[in-house]
Amino acid sequence: MSRTLRLLGGAFLSIAVAATALGSELTPRDASDKAPGITLPPIEAAKLAITLRDYSTAAKILSLALADDPSSAEALFLMGEIESRQKKFAEAIPYYRKIIVNHPSLVRVRLDLARALFETGDDDAAEYNFHLALAEGDLPDTVIDNVERYLAIIRSRKRFVYSLDLGVAPDTNINKATTSDRVTLFGLPFALSPQARQQSGVGITGTIDGEYRAPLQPDLRLRTGATLYGLKYPSDKAFDDAQARGRIGPQWFFERGDISVLGIASKRWYGEQAYSVGVGGRLEGQYWLTKQLLLSSYVEGVSTSYDTQKFLNGYYIDQGNFLDYYITPSSFVRGSIGVGYQSAESDVFSNWYYKLGLAYQQEFAYGITVNVAPEVQWWNYQATDPLFGVRRADRQYFAKISLYKRDFTIFGFAPVLSYSYTTNQSNESLFKYNRNQFQLGFTRQF
């Protein structure tokens, strides 16, 4: 096969020289002396054909090269280049993706992939890859300027965004309950029924989020969106969980960020029964401190009423801050910190809470992406619980690891396998628990 490739490359060059397509690169004497004995490696012959805009010949040469070595990064890149030069960006994307699968740190390829995604309107994936590319420290200023121009266009033109996750979720503690068979109340021991203790199960879970951003002015849009979440246990519907949440409000843009003011409404069903309704507002925004560093924040206040547990009626105020840093063209890290207050009719259930989190994502060869996210959260309740004789205080440790296979997709969705561990420490024994959760499913590709 390689001998055939060399002959084809040599034949193409001889034709090109005979036709004087090389122009000033060879003098007439050079051509007559060198043309009869010249052969070129296939990749070089394909590059020459691309330079001469003979894309058909270049594609034939590269097809033979890829038959000989399907993982050749040079051949795949040039095939993508051929499609991109002809404005066939959708056809170019698979070639660039195949390279990124095994070479996630190749900045030039990631830039061309991001450009192709941009041209096909896949703005979320384009934005993700542009920001990873910007993590390269030696990018020329002209390249940085071009990338930032693309990102500005994405921010201004993005209309409809969505995400979808589906999966099967085995869980060792679906009701977040203690493993103990008894609890002390009012200083006396009481036996817990099996239903009140830790239950395991396998659930089917799904989340869909969609939003439309209608342009009102060049720097102003109206956001309308909704999120639907469902978790169903076929073996025990008592722990089924379903939530719906809508939002609407204006979004203002400025040079390096945006800010939104949203009205929100939510409803939750638990165990196939109406559980709670909430109405409130949210202020959120983000700002690029540098080309690699993104700061985002929100504050949300919601009044909630419960269908049966009236003693929980009240409101909550939640505030969170995130700092994203794109470390390399194949990795980024996110730090988070937040605080909140939940009010209830009974001070026993009113509490302040605090949370700290960290997430690190790395793309590896063979199309594997790993995301690791530990988090810790504290709750300090406001009044002594007469049942236990103490003022409740909880500390929860949570860690999740997710594995994505980027090079295997079905209708744009990639498989994901995740595992999370939760341990909740409390001075009220009823609320101590450990939980192991698994999920195997599909998520929208980056």
Side-chain angles (χ1 to χ4, degrees):
M1 179 66 75
S2 59
R3 182 173 182 273
T4 302
L5 291 172
R6 292 184 65 83
L7 289 174
L8 182 55
F12 170 76
L13 181 62
S14 297
I15 294 170
V17 171
T20 66
L22 291 178
S24 62
E25 293 186 27
L26 290 176
T27 65
R29 184 174 183 278
D30 289 330
S32 62
D33 289 346
K34 297 181 181 180
I38 285 180
T39 60
L40 279 182
I43 296 297
E44 297 303 317
K47 289 180 180 178
L48 180 57
I50 292 172
T51 301
L52 298 172
R53 298 184 181 180
D54 188 351
Y55 301 129
S56 176
T57 299
K60 291 176 182 177
I61 296 172
L62 292 170
S63 294
L64 289 172
L66 288 171
D68 196 46
D69 180 8
S71 62
S72 170
E74 282 189 295
L76 289 168
F77 178 77
L78 291 174
M79 286 293 277
E81 179 78 0
I82 289 171
E83 303 293 358
S84 293
R85 288 192 177 207
Q86 299 178 89
K87 309 299 182 183
K88 299 177 181 178
F89 295 104
E91 288 81 359
I93 289 172
Y95 294 111
Y96 296 138
R97 283 201 185 280
K98 286 179 183 177
I99 302 172
I100 291 295
V101 162
N102 290 316
H103 306 281
S105 295
L106 289 179
V107 179
R108 170 62 192 276
V109 180
R110 194 171 289 280
L111 282 169
D112 284 353
L113 170 61
R115 163 75 190 287
L117 291 164
F118 169 87
E119 296 293 350
T120 59
D122 191 349
D123 287 343
D124 288 338
E127 189 173 21
Y128 170 79
N129 282 283
F130 274 133
H131 284 306
L132 283 176
L134 284 175
E136 172 59 47
D138 297 327
L139 285 178
D141 290 341
T142 53
V143 174
I144 295 173
D145 291 342
N146 282 334
V147 170
E148 291 183 342
R149 179 173 61 84
Y150 282 123
L151 290 171
I153 294 173
I154 288 173
R155 287 194 295 270
S156 65
R157 80 178 185 185
K158 191 180 291 186
R159 296 290 181 266
F160 181 71
V161 295
Y162 76 96
S163 63
L164 175 64
D165 297 283
L166 297 170
V168 178
D171 193 328
T172 63
N173 195 345
I174 62 178
N175 55 336
K176 297 189 288 187
T178 180
T179 57
S180 177
D181 61 356
R182 61 186 60 249
V183 64
T184 301
L185 303 175
F186 301 110
L188 300 173
F190 289 84
L192 287 175
S193 67
Q195 291 76 19
R197 303 202 304 265
Q198 176 177 322
Q199 304 285 318
S200 62
V202 178
I204 300 171
T205 182
T207 303
I208 182 170
D209 182 89
E211 181 172 299
Y212 182 72
R213 301 171 181 178
L216 302 177
Q217 295 179 8
D219 58 351
L220 176 64
R221 286 186 295 192
L222 178 65
R223 295 175 55 186
T224 55
T227 303
L228 302 176
Y229 165 80
L231 175 60
K232 185 171 182 61
Y233 294 99
S235 62
D236 195 341
K237 67 179 183 180
F239 303 111
D240 290 352
D241 194 2
Q243 300 177 41
R245 177 182 169 102
R247 57 191 180 273
I248 184 170
Q251 180 183 39
W252 288 271
F253 287 89
F254 43 94
E255 183 178 357
R256 304 184 71 172
D258 60 78
I259 189 168
S260 299
V261 180
L262 304 172
I264 56 178
S266 63
K267 186 170 179 60
R268 184 179 182 185
W269 298 261
Y270 194 78
E272 297 189 343
Q273 301 294 323
Y275 184 74
S276 65
V277 175
V279 178
R282 180 181 175 96
L283 174 67
E284 65 180 32
Q286 61 177 7
Y287 183 77
W288 283 96
L289 301 172
T290 71
K291 66 184 178 69
Q292 295 172 250
L293 198 58
L294 173 66
L295 173 65
S296 53
S297 297
Y298 73 86
V299 60
E300 178 175 298
V302 173
S303 176
T304 306
S305 60
Y306 291 81
D307 289 81
T308 57
Q309 298 174 309
K310 301 296 185 181
F311 55 88
L312 292 177
N313 288 349
Y315 66 89
Y316 72 79
I317 298 175
D318 185 44
Q319 201 281 322
N321 307 282
F322 307 89
L323 193 63
D324 294 1
Y325 180 64
Y326 289 79
I327 307 169
T328 72
S330 60
S331 64
F332 74 87
V333 65
R334 164 178 283 191
S336 62
I337 184 171
V339 61
Y341 177 75
Q342 183 169 7
S343 170
E345 286 188 358
S346 170
D347 284 343
V348 170
F349 300 97
S350 299
N351 65 87
W352 283 93
Y353 57 88
Y354 314 88
K355 49 191 173 182
L356 288 172
L358 188 69
Y360 175 75
Q361 182 164 299
Q362 175 72 57
E363 294 187 5
F364 295 96
Y366 307 107
I368 296 173
T369 295
V370 178
N371 185 289
V372 181
E375 183 180 283
V376 60
Q377 188 164 343
W378 301 264
W379 288 266
N380 292 321
Y381 289 79
Q382 301 302 293
T384 298
D385 188 339
L387 290 177
F388 294 90
V390 297
R391 190 173 71 171
R392 182 179 167 189
D394 289 13
R395 179 176 294 180
Q396 183 180 103
Y397 298 94
F398 171 85
K400 182 175 184 178
I401 181 169
S402 301
L403 302 177
Y404 303 84
K405 194 73 169 69
R406 305 187 313 275
D407 58 332
F408 179 78
T409 61
I410 299 176
F411 300 112
F413 292 83
V416 56
L417 173 65
S418 64
Y419 164 74
S420 61
Y421 173 74
T422 306
T423 180
N424 195 72
Q425 304 299 319
S426 176
N427 58 353
E428 295 186 2
S429 58
L430 185 63
F431 299 102
K432 291 181 179 179
Y433 67 87
N434 296 312
R435 188 179 191 184
N436 294 276
Q437 296 169 279
F438 301 85
Q439 184 170 337
L440 175 62
F442 285 85
T443 187
R444 187 165 182 242
Q445 195 179 5
F446 306 117

